[in-house]
Amino acid sequence: MKPVIFGLSGPALTPDERAFFADVEPAGYILFRRNVVDRAQLRALTDSLRDLAGRDDLAILIDQEGGRVARMGPPEWAAFPAGPAFAKLYQAAPMSAIQAMRANAQALGLMLSEVGITVDCAPLLDVAQPDTTEAVASRAYGTDPMQVAALGRAMLEGLAAGGVVGVVKHMPGHGRAIVDSHHDLPTVTAPAEALAVDIEPFRTLRHAMMGMTSHIVFQAWDAERPATLSPVVIDRVIRGEIGFDGLLMTDDIDMKALSGTAGDKAASAIAAGCDLVLDCWARMDEMIDIAGRLEPIAAHSRARLDRAMASRRAPDGDFDELIERRDAFLALA
């Protein structure tokens, strides 16, 4: 098994993809809108990935937060609210917001489990600041780390009840970035004392099974390398100060915050201490480059992956009742 999660080019595996993936055996896959048509198609796609891998516990990921970040949507699937809706309610009624988020996430989990998706790249634990880039601010759970952690915990618990593993992101925090790492490399100049606020939600939820790094340079910790490529940030901050010992994956290495070839970036991320590389765009030449640069997955990384996937439980709950419960709480805001 190679320590990488690959994207797919379309709604079904191509012959070239099938042959390549069978040979390389990636740790998992991530789905986007280009891979999604309807329930029957999506279930057939995820079943084909499990059959190819020969594993029922295969990690099949999607970014399904709600709001602007939703790969599955109307008319086939329900639309879900983004983080700020729950943050607004939290200001008026914290416990109602937590219950709303838990019901929301459980419904999300049921929706994903129905089509064979096993991992959702949520919750987002970035603590918003006044100048946080809109790419994060429009999705954040608030400006108070305790609130962010409380809503994040509810998201993890709800997803788990729906049969899905959550991924806390973007470690060690994206809230101070004022540019979008999809397009540019953010640099955070805040001192380590101020960054304690950013890492607090991650420390609170340090026992999460999966986490995702951020492509951000934190001058207080490593002025030369973004967190994804920094052994200092990963070992000292994420594994050390935060205390996270779950499966650590990169954010998409194709994002423009990182420079170099796909293989260079992948190899550097693994060398820095990430367990898995996330490569989303299904470009065969880049996937071949990555696979050629990566050694088989390390034993400790495989153990973290297996532990995370073994944590999944049978989906539970009634989708319509959960949505009705969520909406009743949100109406209180």
Side-chain angles (χ1 to χ4, degrees), residues 70 83 96 106 143 228 317:
S96 294
Q106 188 171 352
T143 59
T228 298

Side-chain angles (χ1 to χ4, degrees), residues 128-171:
Q129 301 290 331
D131 54 356
T132 299
T133 174
E134 178 64 16
V136 170
S138 62
R139 302 148 60 196
Y141 297 169
T143 59
D144 175 70
M146 184 177 72
Q147 172 178 319
V148 171
L151 292 174
R153 186 191 301 277
M155 183 69 157
L156 285 174
E157 291 173 348
L159 288 173
V164 171
V165 181
V167 181
V168 295
K169 60 185 187 184
H170 306 82
M171 303 176 83

Side-chain angles (χ1 to χ4, degrees), residues 13 18 43-56 58 60:
L13 283 168
R18 183 177 293 277
R43 184 73 208 204
L45 175 59
T46 61
D47 284 347
S48 72
L49 294 173
R50 272 182 287 275
D51 289 344
L52 184 63
R55 304 202 314 271
D56 288 335
L58 181 64
I60 302 177

Side-chain angles (χ1 to χ4, degrees), residues 58-299:
L58 181 64
I60 302 177
L61 288 67
I62 198 166
D63 287 295
Q64 194 75 19
E65 297 175 15
R68 64 187 286 176
V69 180
R71 315 310 184 195
M72 299 157 60
E76 185 72 10
W77 292 280
F80 284 75
F86 302 94
K88 179 182 178 183
L89 176 58
Y90 193 97
Q91 294 302 303
M95 288 308 300
S96 294
I98 290 169
Q99 292 183 69
M101 178 63 93
R102 190 178 291 116
N104 179 75
Q106 188 171 352
L108 260 178
L110 292 175
M111 185 177 85
L112 300 181
S113 293
E114 180 187 27
V115 293
I117 294 169
T118 54
V119 179
D120 191 10
C121 296
L124 185 143
L125 299 185
D126 305 317
V127 180
Q129 301 290 331
D131 54 356
T132 299
T133 174
E134 178 64 16
V136 170
S138 62
R139 302 148 60 196
Y141 297 169
T143 59
D144 175 70
M146 184 177 72
Q147 172 178 319
V148 171
L151 292 174
R153 186 191 301 277
M155 183 69 157
L156 285 174
E157 291 173 348
L159 288 173
V164 171
V165 181
V167 181
V168 295
K169 60 185 187 184
H170 306 82
M171 303 176 83
H174 209 303
R176 293 184 193 272
I178 62 173
V179 297
D180 183 353
S181 55
H182 288 88
H183 307 295
D184 298 286
L185 174 61
T187 296
V188 170
T189 60
E193 295 79 9
L195 294 174
V197 170
D198 302 66
I199 68 175
E200 185 176 332
F202 295 104
R203 181 185 286 132
T204 301
L205 301 181
R206 63 188 176 276
H207 298 301
M209 289 292 168
M210 293 185 174
M212 180 183 290
T213 64
S214 60
H215 302 330
I216 298 174
V217 171
F218 295 90
Q219 289 190 343
W221 294 323
D222 188 339
E224 302 299 323
R225 294 163 294 194
T228 298
L229 306 181
S230 171
V232 175
V233 174
I234 292 173
D235 182 60
R236 196 179 86 199
V237 181
I238 296 177
R239 298 301 190 191
E241 290 187 45
I242 291 173
F244 177 73
D245 191 39
L247 181 84
L248 186 66
M249 68 185 75
T250 73
D251 205 343
D252 181 15
I253 61 166
D254 187 65
M255 291 163 65
K256 305 312 175 190
L258 303 184
S259 58
T261 68
D264 287 343
K265 292 181 284 188
S268 296
I270 296 297
C274 292
D275 293 305
L276 298 181
V277 171
L278 185 60
D279 178 66
C280 296
W281 293 100
R283 301 183 184 106
M284 185 58 71
D285 59 335
E286 294 181 358
M287 293 194 293
I288 291 171
D289 184 23
I290 291 167
R293 294 291 302 277
L294 296 182
E295 297 295 325
I297 190 169

